[in-house]
């Protein structure tokens, strides 16, 4: 069934004033049109941003615990509808159903976590150096946020932004990926059902050029939270910095698993398969490189190839499927082009390397899990984010060499080391230059109660998710208040 969806602006579902639409297509079967979606324009953006601007004045004054109650209700509605929403994620984005359900679970986790923040949002009270004076810092909302999200976590990533933005007292104009608009619409509908007042959360569908950029650069937008490719994130950051807008960007990755000679190889192989081919390699934290100690390199490669070649491609809704499709035709072409580049660069194609069009996969965007060996650090396939089921295996002499290879890319999102030697893992923990580090686990699997994000070209500005240094820093600014009840002029640093 094809869903006809709308924008949601100022409390009303409505078509775009452009009268244009676009389609959201199931990447496992391009004959299945998941949604007909508005293709919005500047007028829609203006109306949505103004609605959010007006609503901000009231929403910021709603006590945070009350805002939390609405988000708590959204968590309960998401939980009740988890199965249906997880199936939609799989149908619209392609990941296998357990991962589709995981995507929704992450949104549920974030909703409960941020609902609780409604009763914390804590600042500090500290003593004053002067008598009869007190001082405190409080978090206050920033204003109207543009939230721009990618397609690979169509429920989780919007939730990572919407819930902390709202609990902090901001209002929102949300522009999801044009490849997963139906998932985004369901999430917004749930928040509306939970009681979000009109104007507080607005949803606009459309392309990056026509909606994303004009929205992010709109004069009435105070802050931008973006997740997507590094090119777009850096471009937005440049524009926002000259226009005095807050911006945080979560961007690409070229993540790495290090396998030492003392690693449990079975465990490392499982981690490399999960990290490399889970979500069809389309995670920002995907393990697209495996750096293996030369003593175990050949054995690891054999085991890795054996495991990966058993993975079954297909529609993610089927229990027998291990790996779903990639998101669209242009991404498929990009990945296949990188595979050709890898071959030309002299890397050894061990398995995969081609599109898969057999049986039920005939009408989808499927690529066989691909492993390259004999990969050198300077090759393009070892340096650039491919964002598909392609893993490069690189040989290292020792731990120092492995860490140098791991760090020698422009990205710094996630890394992992498999080793039974506590000293190796401690050195890796100290020296790997990534925002996330896993010990004896793959590069994927972040939990929402900790900050999420990367170094170098993987992240700009504040981190997402929970904990100190997480999303509340992205969505609030500090206000410091000094109250003098001495009844006389007191001078800090001067009065003794
Ligand atoms: P993308 O950059 O093409 O698009 C992301 C979003 O930005 C979409 O909503 C898109 O419509 C919009 N957009 C595109 N051009 C724009 C512009 N000029 N101005 C404003 N908005 C614009 O990325 P994608 O293909 O949707 O997602 C894949 C990328 O996202 C990968 O690079 C991946 O690593 C990254 N990603 C990063 C994280 C993270 O947390 N670090 C998480 C998921 C995905």
């Amino acid at each position: 069934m094809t869903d006809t969806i709308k924008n949601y602006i100022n409390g009303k579902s409505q078509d775009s004033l452009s009268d244009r639409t676009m389609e959201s297509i199931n990447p496992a079967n391009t004959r299945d049109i998941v949604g007909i979606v508005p293709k919005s324009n500047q007028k829609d953006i203006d109306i949505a941003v103004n609605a959010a601007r007006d609503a901000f004045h009231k929403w910021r004054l709603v006590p945070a615990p009350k805002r939390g109650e609405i988000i708590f209700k959204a968590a309960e509605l998401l939980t009740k509808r988890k199965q249906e929403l997880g199936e939609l994620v799989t149908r619209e984005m392609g990941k296998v159903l357990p991962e589709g359900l995981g995507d929704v679970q992450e949104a549920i986790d974030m909703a409960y976590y941020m609902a609780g923040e409604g009763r914390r949002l804590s600042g500090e009270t500290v003593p004053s150096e002067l008598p009869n004076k007190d001082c405190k810092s409080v978090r206050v909302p920033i204003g109207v946020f543009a939230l721009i999200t990618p397609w690979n976590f169509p429920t989780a990533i919007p939730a990572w932004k919407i819930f902390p933005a709202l609990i902090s007292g901001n209002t929102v104009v949300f522009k999801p990926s044009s490849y997963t608009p139906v998932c985004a619409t369901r999430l917004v509908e749930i928040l509306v059902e939970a009681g979000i007042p009109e104007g507080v959360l607005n949803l606009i569908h459309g392309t990056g050029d026509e909606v994303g950029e004009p929205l992010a650069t709109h004069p009435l937008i105070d802050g931008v939270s973006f997740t997507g490719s590094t090119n777009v994130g850096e471009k937005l950051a440049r524009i926002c910095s000259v226009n005095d807008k807050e911006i945080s960007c979560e961007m690409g990755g070229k993540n790495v698993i290090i396998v030492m000679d003392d690693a449990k190889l079975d465990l490392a192989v499982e981690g490399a398969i999960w990290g490399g081919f889970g979500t069809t390699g389309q995670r920002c934290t995907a393990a697209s490189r495996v750096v293996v100690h030369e003593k175990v390199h050949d054995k690891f490669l054999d085991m890795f190839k054996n495991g990966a070649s058993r993975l079954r491609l297909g529609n993610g809704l089927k229990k027998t499927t291990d790996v779903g499709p990639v998101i669209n035709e242009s991404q498929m072409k990009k990945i296949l082009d990188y595979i050709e580049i890898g071959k030309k660069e002299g890397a050894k194609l061990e398995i995969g390397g081609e599109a898969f069009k057999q049986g039920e996969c005939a009408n989808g965007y499927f690529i066989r899990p691909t492993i390259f060996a004999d990969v050198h650090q300077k090759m393009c396939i070892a340096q650039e984010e491919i964002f598909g089921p392609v893993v490069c295996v690189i040989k290292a002499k020792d731990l120092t060499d492995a860490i140098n290879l791991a760090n020698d890319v422009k990205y710094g999102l996630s890394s992992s080391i498999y080793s039974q030697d506590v000293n190796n893992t401690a050195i890796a923990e100290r020296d790997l230059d990534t925002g996330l580090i896993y010990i004896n686990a793959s590069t994927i699997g972040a939990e929402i109660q900790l900050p999420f994000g990367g170094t170098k070209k993987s992240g700009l500005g504040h981190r997402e998710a929970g904990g100190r240094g997480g999303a509340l820093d992205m969505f609030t600014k500090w206000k410091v208040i000094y109250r003098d009840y001495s009844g006389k002029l007191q001078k800090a640093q001067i009065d003794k």
Side-chain angles (χ1 to χ4, degrees):
M1 198 191 82
T2 304
D3 219 323
T4 301
I5 61 170
K6 296 185 187 286
N7 289 334
Y8 183 78
I9 301 176
N10 206 14
K12 288 178 206 67
S13 289
Q14 49 193 268
D15 291 321
S16 165
L17 293 170
S18 74
D19 276 334
R20 293 176 307 159
T21 55
M22 53 193 186
E23 289 177 345
S24 168
I25 290 166
N26 179 344
N29 173 11
T30 55
R31 293 179 180 166
D32 176 23
I33 311 296
V34 185
I36 311 276
V37 188
K39 206 161 180 255
S40 309
N41 63 13
Q42 183 70 47
K43 282 189 191 148
D44 301 310
I45 298 169
D46 288 339
I47 295 170
V49 174
N50 277 297
R53 188 88 256 153
D54 289 346
F56 176 62
H57 302 297
K58 278 194 191 159
W59 181 244
R60 78 181 178 91
L61 298 177
V62 172
K66 291 275 170 234
R67 300 196 292 253
E69 281 169 25
I70 298 173
I71 294 174
F72 189 89
K73 182 135 185 246
E76 295 194 304
L77 292 168
L78 282 165
T79 307
K80 214 160 99 192
R81 291 176 56 184
K82 179 174 168 184
Q83 184 67 28
E84 163 214 335
L85 295 169
E87 286 171 13
L88 176 63
V89 168
T90 296
R91 181 172 166 224
E92 194 171 39
M93 182 271 162
K95 62 177 75 172
V96 294
L97 184 57
E99 292 187 41
L101 293 168
D103 202 304
V104 179
Q105 185 58 48
E106 209 164 311
I108 294 169
D109 295 343
M110 187 57 104
Y112 280 124
Y113 187 85
M114 285 297 157
E117 283 298 341
R119 290 193 180 267
R120 287 185 290 267
L121 277 182
S122 48
E124 278 187 317
T125 52
V126 291
S128 168
E129 64 186 52
L130 293 165
N132 299 318
K133 183 179 173 192
D134 54 32
C135 341
K136 65 180 176 186
S137 62
V138 293
R139 285 185 185 275
V140 294
I142 288 170
V144 181
F145 258 90
L147 307 182
I148 301 177
T149 57
W151 44 264
N152 66 335
F153 279 84
T155 310
I157 292 179
W160 278 41
K161 299 187 189 300
I162 292 173
F163 294 133
L166 294 180
I167 197 67
S168 303
N170 303 283
T171 55
V172 162
V173 181
F174 165 37
K175 195 222 87 67
S177 169
S178 46
Y179 296 104
T180 49
V182 183
C183 292
T185 306
R186 292 288 102 86
L187 178 64
V188 168
E189 285 166 0
I190 281 174
L191 272 145
V192 171
E193 191 181 338
I196 288 290
E198 47 184 57
V200 170
L201 173 60
N202 304 276
L203 166 69
I204 297 212
H205 294 290
T207 61
D209 291 346
E210 287 184 323
V211 177
E213 197 163 326
L215 172 64
T217 53
H218 195 287
L220 295 181
I221 288 287
D222 300 299
V224 178
S225 173
F226 168 85
T227 299
S229 57
T230 297
N231 281 348
V232 174
E234 287 188 337
K235 181 178 183 196
L236 291 181
R238 279 193 293 273
I239 301 174
C240 287
S241 68
V242 290
N243 289 294
D244 297 330
K245 293 182 198 303
E246 298 280 334
I247 178 155
S248 291
C249 299
E250 296 300 339
M251 305 181 291
K254 190 71 184 174
N255 313 291
V256 64
I257 292 177
I258 294 175
V259 182
M260 290 303 294
D261 51 344
D262 58 9
K264 285 192 176 164
L265 281 194
D266 287 344
L267 192 65
V269 167
E270 268 187 293
I273 290 174
W274 173 226
F277 305 116
T279 328
T280 322
Q282 302 171 112
R283 287 197 187 213
C284 50
T285 51
S288 52
R289 296 181 295 151
V290 186
V291 171
V292 190
H293 193 289
E294 59 187 13
K295 281 194 195 149
V296 291
H297 174 274
D298 294 355
K299 188 164 180 212
F300 171 87
L301 185 59
D302 270 353
M303 292 166 72
F304 186 31
K305 277 185 335 194
N306 272 339
S309 51
R310 280 201 293 271
L311 296 171
R312 293 158 300 181
L313 287 160
N315 187 318
L317 288 172
K318 283 176 67 176
K319 280 205 170 90
T320 48
T321 300
D322 300 306
V323 179
V326 301
I327 188 70
N328 56 32
E329 197 170 353
S330 69
Q331 190 57 21
M332 177 144 161
K333 181 175 177 317
K334 181 180 149 200
I335 297 164
L336 293 172
D337 284 350
Y338 269 118
I339 291 171
E340 288 312 307
I341 291 171
K343 287 197 252 176
K344 285 201 189 105
E345 285 180 310
K348 184 165 175 234
L349 180 63
E350 295 280 353
I351 61 163
E354 59 190 3
F356 183 74
K357 287 271 171 201
Q358 287 167 23
E360 64 166 59
C361 297
N363 296 313
Y365 304 121
F366 292 91
I367 297 181
R368 287 183 194 274
T370 299
I371 298 176
F372 277 109
D374 291 346
V375 176
H376 296 289
Q377 187 60 12
K378 295 298 169 206
M379 288 178 181
C380 174
I381 55 166
Q383 290 289 327
E384 292 181 18
E385 183 184 51
I386 298 175
F387 221 55
V390 181
V391 179
C392 297
V393 178
I394 303 170
K395 209 182 265 185
K397 288 197 285 290
D398 54 24
L399 180 63
T400 307
D401 189 30
I403 291 174
N404 287 338
L405 290 166
N407 285 339
D408 181 24
V409 288
K410 63 186 174 188
Y411 297 105
L413 186 51
S414 184
S415 59
S416 129
I417 179 166
Y418 283 85
S419 170
Q420 292 304 299
D421 181 335
V422 69
N423 298 331
N424 283 342
T425 63
I427 291 167
E429 192 179 315
R430 186 191 63 194
D431 292 344
L432 284 168
D433 184 12
T434 52
L436 310 165
I437 298 177
Y438 293 85
I439 315 284
N440 290 320
S442 192
T443 51
I444 62 184
E447 299 184 27
I448 61 99
Q449 64 278 23
L450 292 152
F452 179 94
T455 63
K456 301 191 271 184
K457 285 190 182 282
S458 292
L460 269 173
H462 295 293
R463 298 283 162 96
E464 301 222 85
R468 272 173 181 269
L472 293 184
D473 287 346
M474 186 186 290
F475 291 110
T476 59
K477 55 191 173 191
W478 287 109
K479 196 179 256 187
V480 172
I481 297 146
Y482 299 98
R483 180 170 51 178
D484 191 321
Y485 50 98
S486 67
K488 59 182 183 187
L489 176 66
Q490 300 198 88
K491 296 177 187 154
Q493 294 91 39
I494 295 171
D495 287 357
K496 291 288 172 198

